[in-house]
Amino acid sequence: MSKRVLVSGGAGFIGSHVTVELIQAGYEVVVADDMSNCDLTCFEGVKKITGREDIPFVKMNFCDLDAVNRLFDGYRIDAVIHFAAFKAVGESVAEPIKYYTNNLSSFLNVLEAARTHGGCNVLFSSSATVYGEPEKLPVTEASPRQSATSPYGNTKQICEDILRDSVKAYPGLKGIALRYFNPIGAHPSALIGELPRGVPNNLVPFITQTAIGKRECLSIFGNDYPTEDGTCLRDYIDIVDLAKAHVYAVRRMLDGKMEQDYEIFNIGTGRPVSVLELVTTFEKVNHLKLNYKFAPRRAGDVTAIWADPTLANQKLGWKAERTVEETLSAAWAWEKRLAERAHE
């Protein structure tokens, strides 16, 4: 009997790509999402990529414990990958209560249901924001977590602690936290990708929407950072590479290969790229000229952060493979496909 993985927030950007990779690796998947930050575009794309029309989909809010329990009652769940959270750094600074309420209660409910249904493996979608403004680069899993620079980052720290303590307390519960760096791009098929509602919070959708004409101008927040070109340094990882890391992590849990009941892995490339370099690389790869300007620094942004992915490379057997050029080409193909659909 194949193992079944619940993907909460599975209709979104990261969740849809992870669902594709899980299905292609032979897992059964249940997708659940409240659709508050997406529509069915990517879920339909997942069906096309995988050739599976029968993927179970449940529309629900993970802040509703009764709904979460019904989901666990209805399916045998071997592992949960939890994506159902709000994720905009700037918005979290402006609306902290919204973020703490949603991000903490949804994860607590997943853990409660996992615990009361006999325990299972929980893979938490964490973030490099837990490192705050790091003292030393690149960051390893042993790097100290600094005070979070945003409520969003703080919810990731708190959820990691909740998972660590729950695994320690409840037999049968195992957990892995994957600390993502900056996921960008789209599936090479251009059938799924990042689909923000309203004004994008992430850089690459803003780049592609400016290139296609949806946005008049791209703002680069801050050109006075102590970096080579004055813009922030980040570790941009291709979304497909990131999605594959989840398959390796789930396999590690389900095959009983974990060395401890709670483990943490950095998921990044190990190569810092500046915001300006990303913009100019997009122009070069796609033969475009972007209208962009420099704007004041944005609240909650750190100067520089990138991963040391050695532990994930060695323990998970996973490694980022796609180049920034390939990633930005896929992102542009996805944006053009969205534009074609809008004109159909």
Side-chain angles (χ1 to χ4, degrees):
M1 185 185 294
S2 59
K3 299 291 187 179
R4 182 178 287 114
V5 183
L6 167 63
V7 184
S8 77
F13 174 44
I14 300 177
S16 60
H17 286 82
V18 169
T19 298
V20 166
E21 297 303 324
L22 286 168
I23 291 171
Q24 291 182 336
Y27 293 101
E28 292 299 317
V29 178
V30 177
V31 172
D33 204 302
D34 71 353
M35 310 306 289
S36 63
N37 197 39
C38 60
D39 59 26
L40 285 171
T41 301
C42 285
F43 184 64
E44 294 301 324
V46 169
K47 293 179 183 178
K48 290 177 183 174
I49 294 167
T50 60
R52 290 280 302 273
E53 286 292 330
D54 60 342
I55 304 166
F57 175 81
V58 182
K59 184 178 179 182
M60 56 168 286
N61 188 328
F62 280 84
C63 292
D64 180 346
L65 180 57
D66 289 340
V68 179
N69 278 323
R70 285 195 298 272
L71 183 62
F72 274 75
D73 288 337
Y75 295 94
R76 185 202 80 251
I77 304 295
D78 298 297
V80 184
I81 305 179
H82 185 64
F83 295 113
F86 297 146
K87 60 174 187 168
V89 170
E91 184 186 49
S92 78
V93 173
E95 299 190 64
I97 293 174
K98 174 182 175 179
Y99 272 68
Y100 286 116
T101 300
N102 183 77
N103 292 8
L104 300 186
S105 63
S106 62
F107 190 51
L108 285 165
N109 288 345
V110 165
L111 289 172
E112 176 65 11
R115 178 181 74 87
T116 56
H117 287 76
C120 74
N121 302 278
V122 179
L123 181 53
F124 177 60
S125 164
S126 193
S127 165
T129 57
V130 303
Y131 295 115
E133 188 86 57
E135 295 171 354
K136 186 179 177 184
L137 290 165
V139 291
T140 71
E141 291 79 358
S143 297
R145 295 189 326 189
Q146 304 293 339
S147 295
T149 57
S150 69
Y152 164 76
N154 201 24
T155 66
K156 292 299 185 184
Q157 290 185 347
I158 294 168
C159 285
E160 283 191 359
D161 293 344
I162 291 170
L163 181 57
R164 178 201 63 209
D165 294 343
S166 297
V167 161
K168 197 181 297 182
Y170 306 121
L173 202 62
K174 297 187 188 304
I176 289 179
L178 297 185
R179 291 174 176 167
Y180 314 152
F181 281 68
N182 291 73
I184 61 170
H187 194 270
S189 66
L191 288 168
I192 57 175
E194 194 162 3
L195 189 60
R197 285 191 168 178
V199 179
N201 290 298
N202 295 334
L203 176 59
V204 170
F206 224 117
I207 289 174
T208 59
Q209 288 189 10
T210 302
I212 207 81
K214 284 184 187 175
R215 307 281 162 195
E216 186 179 333
C217 183
L218 167 70
S219 292
I220 296 176
F221 297 107
N223 64 339
D224 57 350
Y225 285 96
T227 61
E228 192 170 317
D229 62 20
T231 65
C232 294
L233 290 173
R234 294 290 182 268
D235 188 335
Y236 295 103
I237 177 166
D238 185 273
I239 185 61
V240 176
D241 280 338
L242 179 83
K244 287 178 178 176
H246 294 74
V247 177
Y248 284 86
V250 165
R251 187 177 295 140
R252 182 175 175 84
M253 291 194 291
L254 294 178
D255 290 353
K257 298 291 177 61
M258 292 176 67
E259 295 168 16
Q260 298 173 326
D261 288 345
Y262 174 59
E263 296 179 336
I264 299 165
F265 297 99
N266 284 340
I267 306 299
T269 67
R271 177 182 172 241
V273 174
S274 78
V275 173
L276 185 58
E277 182 185 350
L278 196 76
V279 170
T280 56
T281 301
F282 178 87
E283 290 181 319
K284 183 178 177 182
V285 168
N286 296 304
H287 312 291
L288 294 163
K289 188 63 186 166
L290 278 175
N291 183 27
Y292 64 86
K293 66 179 181 182
F294 295 106
R297 294 185 184 190
R298 188 172 55 175
D301 281 343
V302 300
T303 301
I305 187 165
W306 66 92
D308 179 344
T310 303
L311 194 67
N313 298 163
Q314 293 176 346
K315 299 290 186 183
L316 293 180
W318 166 90
K319 189 173 184 180
E321 296 175 343
R322 289 173 64 79
T323 65
V324 173
E325 288 80 5
E326 288 173 316
T327 303
L328 294 175
S329 176
W332 181 228
W334 164 247
E335 187 67 60
K336 287 190 291 185
R337 183 175 177 276
L338 288 176
E340 288 168 6
R341 283 187 58 204
H343 288 104
E344 286 174 359

